Amino acid sequence: MQGGGETTFPELGITVYPLPGSGILFSNLNAEGLREPLSLHAGNPVTQGEKWVATQWIRQRDYVAP
């Protein structure tokens, strides 16, 4: 049995419940490349079982090292 581990988007009033093999894709920048406030999110504590997380960052432009 699993419990907890939801991802909450407080500015949107949305909670996404974890399901095995599922994922969430969202952009934290708008079309102008500025921070998107609605992307604010938090991972709730796992209360029973496990939750594995993998993050992949997708760039809007080529990365140029300083």
Side-chain angles (χ1 to χ4, degrees):
M1 179 168 239
Q2 305 290 321
E6 305 88 359
T7 301
T8 301
F9 293 83
E11 299 297 324
L12 295 171
I14 294 173
T15 298
V16 180
Y17 295 86
L19 297 171
S22 67
I24 304 171
L25 176 64
F26 62 93
S27 180
N28 66 336
L29 301 176
N30 64 21
E32 290 78 38
L34 301 174
R35 185 179 67 86
E36 173 53 68
L38 297 178
S39 70
L40 177 70
H41 62 286
N44 296 339
V46 175
T47 58
Q48 190 171 15
E50 300 179 323
K51 178 182 177 181
W52 289 51
V53 177
T55 301
Q56 179 166 354
W57 295 92
I58 303 169
R59 298 187 182 278
Q60 288 183 319
R61 298 179 252 311
D62 290 338
Y63 176 72
V64 178

